[in-house]
Amino acid sequence: MNVSLPVEDALDETRPLLQGGEDAKAKTPTPLPKGQIAILMLLGLAEPITSHCIFPFINQLISELDITGGDEKKVGYYAGMIESIFFAMEALFVFQWSRLSDHIGRKPVLLVGVGGLCISMLCFGLSKTFLGLVVSRSLVGLLNGNTGVSKSMMGEITDETNIAQGFAWLPVAWSVGSTIGPLMGGQLAKPHDRWPELFSHPFWVKYPYFLPCAASASFSALTFVVTALFLKETVRKRPRREASSCDEAASPHPDEHDEAPPPLSKVLTRRVLLSISNYAVLAIVEIAYLALQPLFLATPIELGGLGLPPPTIGIILGTFGVLNGFFQAMFFATLMDRWGPKRLFQQGLLAFVPLYLLFPIMSWYAKAHGITPVIWGLVLLQQILLVVMDLAFGAIFIFISSSAANNRCLGATNGVAQFVASVVRAVGPAASTSLFAVSLERNWLGGYAVYPILLTMSIALFFVSIPLPSHMWPKVQDSRID
């Protein structure tokens, strides 16, 4: 016998998170819980500050530790390994953290994550060997599951009427952190050289990169305290009579279910897998670019880069955060309403075509004319295009959250998404920086082979986005149960 059971008749916690179509547009937007979103933004700031503060000086640090034996062409190999190890360790543990948050709550997992950021950065600043650098970056990846858990919490404190406004703030937090991190790393590195009166102690000579690491660790410590005191838990213990299935159906016998989150097999529906696949595409293309950019900026002009010092690189990387934070806060929700998430996502992917093309153009010009205002104009253009690209993240986050059948699936859905993104992000930096180094060593296409390879990959991966719906995944209205 077939029985029709509307999902919306179930309790709130078993409802699909988001509703697409005209009904959502007709509703008055629910006010956002500003205090809780502010804490999520603090947590969102901590990770990019920690990950990005090493970018301006990581190449110089590799050279000074004599890991490459004085061969500047090999710096890219080791820099990519350092940048990749965080994502490799995160890939191993992020799903477990997200799944754990479904059981014990979001807040404890978030506190462990931000505490891990603090400890790992202190260890990184005190490391004097390549092994020490690897262990400290591994530690932060092992302890940090915050990215997926924060998105789960954002999905729980918003609804279909204010989801775009809520998720618009997550890229803003990342952008501000991406501004502060490189500036912190570039401006505070080697303080004994820049401010010898204040930093004359031999400690600062022995550990020239400890100050930016300690500054980022201090921010993580502050975030830990604020989160512990003020963040409200969103995962509630449910009576046994409430359903918890994550397939696109509600059970006609809710009392048969216990309070445990559903099995993973119930979570990975077709629309969840399609959304996560597109997140993986965006993640690998973006991280390949982000790892390549500081390497290109630091590489000597004669080897195909711009030969810029760490403070200048920090400022350049920081301009993206300023531009992106402003643009996301002011225009993301409006563009989402006007164009829809699919078009916004695809335009972000297409932005990588000119982004990668600008690298060889800048190199050719710098070799012919040196660092002139034309170079600075092209660098700024590249940062503006990066802002356009970053709109794709807000769009794909909405696809992922709306693909989950209900709140009990949300931690697992975001955990799987972050696991897949972490895997490709572990591969991306090492792959792109190694391609850069191999292109130079073997003189492939005059040392520029890395760019057409990455450009071709970006265009090919664009086609994964074609099956996505024009708008967010629709709410499931009912299901048939025999």
Side-chain angles (χ1 to χ4, degrees), residues 248-264:
E248 296 171 6
S251 170
H253 306 291
D255 54 315
E256 294 179 359
H257 293 271
D258 59 25
E259 64 187 26
L264 187 60

Side-chain angles (χ1 to χ4, degrees), residues 77-99:
Y77 292 119
Y78 294 94
M81 291 171 63
I82 293 294
E83 292 163 7
S84 292
I85 193 67
F86 162 75
F87 296 109
M89 293 302 295
E90 185 180 58
L92 294 176
F93 293 97
V94 68
F95 174 73
Q96 284 77 10
W97 285 118
S98 293
R99 195 66 163 153

Side-chain angles (χ1 to χ4, degrees), residues 103-115:
H103 290 268
I104 68 172
R106 315 294 185 207
K107 185 174 179 178
V109 174
L110 290 171
L111 288 173
V112 171
V114 75

Side-chain angles (χ1 to χ4, degrees), residues 185-197:
Q187 300 303 315
L188 299 182
K190 293 191 171 183
H192 64 283
D193 289 343
R194 306 194 69 189
W195 307 287
E197 299 84 4

Side-chain angles (χ1 to χ4, degrees), residues 201-347:
H201 194 278
F203 174 87
W204 302 108
V205 178
K206 185 176 181 180
Y207 302 102
Y209 303 105
F210 179 76
L211 184 60
C213 296
S216 70
S218 298
F219 182 83
S220 295
L222 173 63
T223 302
F224 181 96
V225 173
V226 173
T227 302
L229 292 177
F230 301 112
L231 185 66
K232 297 177 182 178
E233 183 58 72
T234 56
V235 173
R236 296 177 288 115
K237 287 289 184 180
R238 293 149 37 93
R240 290 180 63 86
R241 67 177 181 273
E242 296 184 18
S244 64
S245 90
C246 250
D247 55 1
E248 296 171 6
S251 170
H253 306 291
D255 54 315
E256 294 179 359
H257 293 271
D258 59 25
E259 64 187 26
L264 187 60
S265 60
K266 300 287 188 178
V267 175
L268 300 179
T269 60
R270 176 185 176 277
R271 64 190 201 173
V272 168
L273 292 174
L274 182 57
S275 300
I276 291 174
S277 298
N278 278 276
Y279 183 31
V281 165
L282 179 61
I284 192 169
V285 179
E286 184 234 14
I287 198 64
Y289 172 87
L290 292 180
L292 191 62
Q293 186 183 24
L295 180 59
F296 171 82
L297 296 174
T299 299
I301 292 178
E302 60 272 16
L303 295 180
L306 296 184
L308 301 177
T312 304
I313 294 173
I315 292 173
I316 291 172
L317 299 181
T319 59
F320 163 70
V322 174
L323 294 171
N324 193 45
F326 173 79
F327 194 82
Q328 292 275 355
M330 296 298 296
F331 302 112
F332 176 79
T334 300
L335 292 173
M336 180 65 65
D337 290 339
R338 180 175 300 176
W339 291 345
K342 180 177 182 178
R343 184 176 175 187
L344 211 57
F345 178 74
Q346 290 183 322
Q347 288 186 345

Side-chain angles (χ1 to χ4, degrees), residues 243-469:
S244 64
S245 90
C246 250
D247 55 1
E248 296 171 6
S251 170
H253 306 291
D255 54 315
E256 294 179 359
H257 293 271
D258 59 25
E259 64 187 26
L264 187 60
S265 60
K266 300 287 188 178
V267 175
L268 300 179
T269 60
R270 176 185 176 277
R271 64 190 201 173
V272 168
L273 292 174
L274 182 57
S275 300
I276 291 174
S277 298
N278 278 276
Y279 183 31
V281 165
L282 179 61
I284 192 169
V285 179
E286 184 234 14
I287 198 64
Y289 172 87
L290 292 180
L292 191 62
Q293 186 183 24
L295 180 59
F296 171 82
L297 296 174
T299 299
I301 292 178
E302 60 272 16
L303 295 180
L306 296 184
L308 301 177
T312 304
I313 294 173
I315 292 173
I316 291 172
L317 299 181
T319 59
F320 163 70
V322 174
L323 294 171
N324 193 45
F326 173 79
F327 194 82
Q328 292 275 355
M330 296 298 296
F331 302 112
F332 176 79
T334 300
L335 292 173
M336 180 65 65
D337 290 339
R338 180 175 300 176
W339 291 345
K342 180 177 182 178
R343 184 176 175 187
L344 211 57
F345 178 74
Q346 290 183 322
Q347 288 186 345
L349 287 179
L350 290 175
F352 282 105
V353 174
L355 277 170
Y356 281 123
L357 283 175
L358 281 170
F359 281 128
I361 291 173
M362 286 190 287
S363 174
W364 292 329
Y365 189 92
K367 285 182 177 180
H369 306 286
I371 304 299
T372 70
V374 173
I375 290 293
W376 297 120
L378 293 175
V379 168
L380 180 60
L381 175 60
Q382 204 172 37
Q383 299 300 81
I384 292 172
L385 288 169
L386 201 58
V387 170
V388 174
M389 178 282 299
D390 208 63
L391 291 170
F393 278 100
I396 200 60
F397 293 160
I398 289 176
F399 273 126
I400 292 171
S401 288
S402 64
S403 71
N406 58 58
N407 281 4
R408 299 301 288 176
C409 309
L410 191 53
T413 300
N414 277 301
V416 173
Q418 204 57 44
F419 163 75
V420 174
S422 297
V423 169
V424 299
R425 282 172 170 159
V427 174
S432 66
T433 57
S434 295
L435 273 173
F436 184 91
V438 169
S439 297
L440 286 177
E441 281 191 317
R442 302 186 180 182
N443 199 33
W444 290 349
L445 297 181
Y448 295 107
V450 57
Y451 306 119
I453 291 174
L454 293 176
L455 183 60
T456 302
M457 179 188 73
S458 302
I459 295 172
L461 290 176
F462 172 84
F463 292 96
V464 179
S465 68
I466 292 176
L468 286 171

